[in-house]
Amino acid sequence: MPDTVRIETAKAETTTFREVMAEIIQRITEGPWGPGSLLPGEVELAEEFGVSRTTMNRALREVSELGFLDRKRKAGTRVRMAPIRQARFEMPLVRAEIEKTGAAYRYQLVSRDVILAPDWLRERMRLKARARVVHLLCLHFADGVAFQLEDRWINAQALPLATEQDFSAVGPNEWLVATVPFSEVEISFLAQAADAQMVAHLGHAPGDPVFCSERATWWQNAAVTLVTLAHRRGYRMTTRY
Amino acid sequence: MPDTVRIETAKAETTTFREVMAEIIQRITEGPWGPGSLLPGEVELAEEFGVSRTTMNRALREVSELGFLDRKRKAGTRVRMAPIRQARFEMPLVRAEIEKTGAAYRYQLVSRDVILAPDWLRERMRLKARARVVHLLCLHFADGVAFQLEDRWINAQALPLATEQDFSAVGPNEWLVATVPFSEVEISFLAQAADAQMVAHLGHAPGDPVFCSERATWWQNAAVTLVTLAHRRGYRMTTRY
């Protein structure tokens, strides 16, 4: 590792923790802690480095979050064979996301239907035969301009209450958060060509690249909801840490 | 919260932890723990629920990861005013991502240049005036088919070693992981219309929606690298937990 990077001065209050972190990374990348190595315990390391256990814990946690370490409660801390990088994205409710930019938020229900789940949805959400679902199409506006198109399915078997909601004033997103937790979630990000719905509601030209996120949730093996969020032109999902 | 969701049977070994979690979520969504409430301490809660401190800790951690709680070491645990949902994505090296599917991985360097950083890059990466950068264009193949196009910039001031690497055999991704850590990272996901480079190398039609991820990293305030990864047709970035 070149000195030119190493010698940059960190903020004073975090120096110790960063120094410990740099030393751990150096031992991993340059030896003696090669891939697969089992690290000494936290207490032992804190003693060796002459730092508090809190500082050592934070350094190990951060190095771990950079993907270098695999920490298990009983098996201890091992150097990963290949570093795994983890990206964490905060996904606030769309209302909060819009209001944070200083824009005014508005919600609009486009359509609401209670129907038998189509086959693709039953398969996708592991629903029972003849399961009924609530299908909602909603728009979220920032300062009057369409920001996000929400295409949502809710499992009416698991959430009969959903069939009684009209969702005209409060979006299903906010209602679900307040009503039901989830224990299993699958999130995908993808680029999609604008379809007729996106053209009609988000102002895309047909075929335009649209950033979509898809989210499916279950609560203790019962499907709760599947939603696709299509975003306006130029949208980016960004995280920093 | 409807009983139909609540009464699903969880796996035996996690029942206690899930029950505690469900009760905590119920207290948050239905009272008495409204938005902004300060929760009792972990020890006190463990006693009240009649579970071990480990179980209570896990339940609180999971409820917190669902975005309901804000946990601070000294200030204690508070109910968030609005739940924040966090999505975590594991981003392995592309070699690992491809090999995991059973496909054979191949790397190819398309071009390599050492040049003065263009203005947009200096601004984007907070580089100094007349900063030199290594610019690389690389392809990653799965079973001989282009999987990912990597367009990468490396700050030569911070990493002079990079100017000595030819990157013909080992990609900059793997080299960087082994050479330099990062302390600050910014990741964006976006949908982009296929440009000439993507058409030439990834087989997209011009204007096709392409899923791209962009990643900028710094090490103690020195810019290390900026990379855009453009993916083949139909690529999704998925996470489950």
Side-chain angles (χ1 to χ4, degrees):
Chain A
M1 186 181 314
D3 284 345
T4 37
V5 165
R6 196 41 92 57
I7 59 176
E8 290 280 336
T9 313
K11 288 174 204 138
E13 72 271 27
T14 53
T15 302
T16 311
F17 139 69
R18 289 202 180 279
E19 279 170 3
V20 173
M21 202 177 144
E23 172 67 25
I24 294 171
I25 291 170
Q26 194 180 21
R27 290 191 188 184
I28 291 171
T29 55
E30 298 173 20
W33 294 341
S37 305
L38 182 66
L39 263 58
E42 199 174 287
V43 177
E44 197 177 323
L45 283 174
E47 266 172 34
E48 188 204 325
F49 280 70
V51 297
S52 71
R53 196 173 161 182
T54 309
T55 300
M56 181 50 73
N57 184 278
R58 181 165 175 212
L60 285 170
R61 188 157 32 92
E62 299 265 344
V63 175
S64 179
E65 283 181 2
L66 292 180
F68 286 102
L69 299 173
D70 185 19
R71 304 179 80 195
K72 291 197 174 128
R73 197 179 290 266
K74 284 178 184 165
T77 299
R78 267 186 198 283
V79 178
R80 281 189 197 281
M81 298 311 284
I84 289 179
R85 293 164 173 183
Q86 217 183 44
R88 282 157 287 159
F89 288 82
E90 295 217 334
M91 304 179 78
L93 293 178
V94 62
R95 175 198 292 275
E97 186 175 1
I98 288 170
E99 289 178 347
K100 208 173 146 187
T101 67
Y105 170 74
R106 185 163 64 82
Y107 163 76
Q108 184 199 325
L109 178 67
V110 178
S111 66
R112 176 188 176 284
D113 299 287
V114 182
I115 55 173
L116 282 178
D119 288 346
W120 69 264
L121 183 66
R122 279 201 297 119
E123 190 167 327
R124 178 80 179 72
M125 295 295 290
R126 312 192 299 257
L127 295 171
K128 283 166 194 147
R130 303 198 52 80
R132 282 197 320 151
V133 288
V134 181
H135 183 208
L136 302 161
L137 203 60
C138 317
L139 274 168
H140 304 274
F141 297 86
D143 279 343
V145 180
F147 179 88
Q148 189 187 84
L149 176 67
E150 175 178 359
D151 187 342
R152 183 179 291 273
W153 304 84
I154 302 174
N155 177 10
Q157 241 85 27
L159 275 173
L161 269 180
T163 62
E164 294 159 28
Q165 295 287 317
D166 70 6
F167 296 109
S168 60
V170 174
N173 205 337
E174 302 193 17
W175 182 79
L176 283 162
V177 165
T179 308
V180 62
F182 59 87
S183 53
E184 189 187 337
V185 59
E186 184 188 288
I187 302 175
S188 293
F189 295 144
L190 57 149
Q192 206 177 305
D195 62 16
Q197 247 174 25
M198 298 171 195
V199 170
H201 296 293
L202 288 172
H204 289 287
D208 265 3
V210 181
F211 180 84
C212 295
S213 64
E214 200 187 274
R215 182 186 182 96
T217 61
W218 291 264
W219 173 248
Q220 297 180 359
N221 295 321
V224 175
T225 187
L226 173 70
V227 62
T228 301
L229 304 174
H231 292 84
R232 67 173 171 192
R233 286 179 83 95
Y235 182 84
R236 292 174 155 238
M237 170 157 278
T238 298
T239 187
R240 290 180 191 83
Y241 47 89
Chain B
M1 187 181 313
D3 285 345
T4 38
V5 166
R6 195 45 92 58
I7 60 178
E8 289 279 335
T9 312
K11 287 173 205 140
E13 71 270 27
T14 53
T15 302
T16 312
F17 139 69
R18 288 200 181 281
E19 279 169 3
V20 173
M21 201 176 144
E23 173 66 24
I24 293 170
I25 291 171
Q26 194 178 22
R27 289 191 189 186
I28 291 170
T29 54
E30 298 172 21
W33 294 341
S37 306
L38 182 67
L39 262 58
E42 200 173 287
V43 178
E44 196 178 324
L45 283 173
E47 265 172 37
E48 188 204 325
F49 280 70
V51 297
S52 70
R53 196 171 161 183
T54 309
T55 300
M56 182 51 74
N57 183 278
R58 183 169 173 209
L60 285 170
R61 187 157 33 92
E62 299 266 342
V63 175
S64 178
E65 283 181 3
L66 292 179
F68 287 102
L69 299 173
D70 185 21
R71 303 180 80 195
K72 290 192 175 136
R73 198 179 289 265
K74 283 179 185 165
T77 298
R78 268 188 198 282
V79 179
R80 281 188 198 281
M81 298 311 285
I84 289 178
R85 293 165 172 181
Q86 216 182 46
R88 284 155 287 160
F89 287 83
E90 295 218 331
M91 303 179 78
L93 292 177
V94 62
R95 174 198 291 275
E97 186 176 1
I98 288 170
E99 287 177 349
K100 208 173 146 186
T101 68
Y105 170 74
R106 186 164 63 82
Y107 163 77
Q108 185 200 322
L109 178 67
V110 178
S111 66
R112 175 189 176 283
D113 298 287
V114 182
I115 54 173
L116 283 180
D119 289 346
W120 68 265
L121 183 67
R122 279 201 296 119
E123 189 167 327
R124 178 79 179 73
M125 296 295 290
R126 312 191 299 256
L127 294 171
K128 283 164 195 148
R130 303 196 54 79
R132 280 197 320 151
V133 287
V134 181
H135 184 208
L136 303 161
L137 203 61
C138 316
L139 274 168
H140 304 274
F141 296 87
D143 280 344
V145 180
F147 179 88
Q148 188 186 84
L149 177 67
E150 175 179 358
D151 187 342
R152 183 179 291 273
W153 304 84
I154 303 173
N155 177 9
Q157 240 85 27
L159 275 173
L161 269 179
T163 62
E164 293 158 29
Q165 296 286 318
D166 70 6
F167 296 109
S168 61
V170 175
N173 204 338
E174 302 194 16
W175 181 78
L176 282 162
V177 164
T179 308
V180 62
F182 59 89
S183 53
E184 189 188 338
V185 60
E186 184 188 288
I187 302 175
S188 293
F189 295 144
L190 58 149
Q192 206 175 308
D195 62 16
Q197 245 175 27
M198 299 170 194
V199 170
H201 296 293
L202 288 173
H204 290 286
D208 264 3
V210 180
F211 180 84
C212 295
S213 63
E214 199 188 275
R215 182 188 183 94
T217 60
W218 291 264
W219 173 248
Q220 296 180 356
N221 294 323
V224 176
T225 187
L226 173 71
V227 62
T228 302
L229 305 173
H231 292 84
R232 67 172 170 192
R233 285 179 84 94
Y235 181 84
R236 293 174 156 238
M237 170 156 277
T238 297
T239 186
R240 289 180 193 82
Y241 46 89

